Amino acid sequence: MDKLHTNCPLCSSHSTSILVGYERAYLLRCNNCSFVFSNQIPSDKELEAYYSDEYELTSFFSPITAKRYGELLDSFEHLRQTNNLLDIGVGNGFFAEIALQRGWNVYGTELTDETLVHAAQKGINMSKGKLENLDFEANSFDVVVCIEVIEHVSFPRSFVAEIHALLRKGGVVYLTTPNFNSLSRRRLKSHYDVINFPNHLSYFTVKTLSKLLTSNGFVKQSITTTGMSRTRRKTSLGKSNQAFVSETSDDEILRHRIEKNWMLRSLKRVINGFLSLFRLGDSIKATFIKQ
């Protein structure tokens, strides 16, 4: 049987409530800080088995995503001191590969042998296992990147503390994670396929992610919520089985249309501005600086 949380993994409060309607994912909400998390804690073996069986590395790398990664790396240029960048949960290695091409010393982590080998073949210095079990030198990184990773963690406070220890003073951590307060989740409720045990274990909002980082020695540089996925809406409702990341997904087709049309790009900026202002976008994107 899986272990259970005895208190909130963000604020340590013992006052929690079952999130009605989300019982299949074992979700609780903290009555003190409002953090939503899975009460069950899968073992390392269970997680490795799940990711080995359920996760398929895509060979499709959108040129639009490559462009966004380039823009993100542009924002890190002024941070080069150690020239070391850590990508936690490398996955297909697309981001790390671009960082390598730009001259960063790129280190990566993963949980499964398949992803480890795949990324290592690209020249990334790979380590297998959870961050707290790996032997990285303290204060040795300019940048730590966690793209769609922190939602997979049962103990986010210790995870962020490890990141803080690895970053030099003034270094940054960049995180993306699904937004539990998104308009999509509010509309789809428990049908939203982001709600998925044991894949996702921690469910953040702007408020709870900010609390996690600022209470662990970071100061906020920026935080936004953007995007609404047509693909995920259809797959959540069982109206499509399209891969979330693919050349023919509804999202990718729409992205290409927007990139080619200045009016659509302008409309996208307006919509994302609204979604971020009211914290309703599907994805939280945040940058925090180590104090």
Side-chain angles (χ1 to χ4, degrees):
M1 179 180 292
D2 293 327
K3 294 181 180 179
L4 302 178
H5 284 287
T6 57
N7 53 22
C8 172
L10 198 160
C11 73
S12 298
S13 171
H14 291 280
S15 178
T16 60
S17 302
I18 293 172
L19 201 60
V20 177
Y22 297 84
E23 291 86 355
R24 66 179 177 86
Y26 314 106
L27 296 193
L28 301 182
R29 187 192 298 273
C30 176
N31 295 325
N32 179 54
C33 72
S34 301
F35 181 52
V36 174
F37 59 97
S38 173
N39 189 32
Q40 298 212 32
I41 307 168
S43 68
D44 291 351
K45 280 189 174 181
E46 288 171 323
L47 288 176
E48 184 174 352
Y50 172 80
Y51 291 123
S52 295
D53 292 340
E54 298 294 329
Y55 258 51
E56 293 185 11
L57 292 176
T58 178
S59 59
F60 172 67
F61 184 30
S62 167
I64 299 171
T65 301
K67 183 178 179 181
R68 298 289 97 84
Y69 285 169
E71 293 165 354
L72 178 61
L73 284 161
D74 286 343
S75 73
F76 297 154
E77 281 298 320
H78 69 287
L79 296 166
R80 290 187 193 254
Q81 288 187 19
T82 68
N83 203 48
N84 295 331
L85 181 150
L86 176 62
D87 187 357
I88 301 174
V90 164
N92 47 37
F94 293 146
F95 175 81
E97 192 172 13
I98 292 179
L100 271 175
Q101 293 168 3
R102 287 174 169 242
W104 287 93
N105 303 321
V106 180
Y107 298 80
T109 74
E110 262 300 345
L111 295 179
T112 67
D113 290 328
E114 180 187 1
T115 49
L116 197 79
V117 170
H118 179 78
Q121 288 172 345
K122 296 185 174 186
I124 304 162
N125 297 305
M126 292 298 299
S127 298
K128 181 182 177 183
K130 291 186 176 180
L131 190 59
E132 61 266 29
N133 299 325
L134 303 179
D135 190 25
F136 292 118
E137 186 177 345
N139 307 305
S140 61
F141 291 95
D142 294 326
V143 178
V144 173
V145 173
C146 306
I147 297 174
E148 305 299 296
V149 170
I150 200 167
E151 64 270 19
H152 302 278
V153 174
S154 289
F155 298 97
R157 193 165 56 183
S158 59
F159 178 77
V160 167
E162 289 290 335
I163 293 173
H164 187 273
L166 294 176
L167 279 168
R168 64 164 175 82
K169 186 175 181 180
V172 304
V173 56
Y174 173 79
L175 310 98
T176 71
T177 190
N179 176 21
F180 192 74
N181 275 353
S182 71
L183 188 60
S184 296
R185 199 280 306 172
R186 291 167 185 259
R187 292 175 62 190
L188 295 166
K189 301 187 184 300
S190 62
H191 296 292
Y192 193 32
D193 62 12
V194 165
I195 314 298
N196 183 359
F197 178 88
N199 186 20
H200 292 166
L201 304 169
S202 292
Y203 294 85
F204 290 94
T205 65
V206 168
K207 176 184 174 181
T208 55
L209 187 65
S210 296
K211 177 179 175 60
L212 173 65
L213 273 293
T214 56
S215 64
N216 282 279
F218 288 93
V219 61
K220 182 181 72 175
Q221 177 175 305
S222 66
I223 188 164
T224 61
T225 72
T226 61
M228 290 184 66
S229 170
R230 296 174 66 186
T231 295
R232 199 172 286 284
R233 178 174 59 83
K234 286 185 176 181
T235 58
S236 295
L237 294 173
K239 295 180 178 180
S240 171
N241 62 355
Q242 60 187 275
F244 185 64
V245 179
S246 72
E247 192 171 5
T248 57
S249 73
D250 289 348
D251 286 352
E252 189 64 19
I253 292 169
L254 180 58
R255 292 174 82 198
H256 277 277
R257 287 182 59 197
I258 292 171
E259 285 292 308
K260 294 176 180 178
N261 187 305
W262 70 268
M263 291 184 65
L264 290 178
R265 291 197 302 272
S266 299
L267 179 60
K268 176 186 173 182
R269 283 193 292 270
V270 171
I271 292 172
N272 275 335
F274 172 87
L275 292 173
S276 193
L277 177 64
F278 293 99
R279 300 177 175 180
L280 295 173
D282 283 356
S283 178
I284 302 174
K285 299 173 182 176
T287 302
F288 285 81
I289 305 168
K290 176 177 176 177
Q291 293 181 304

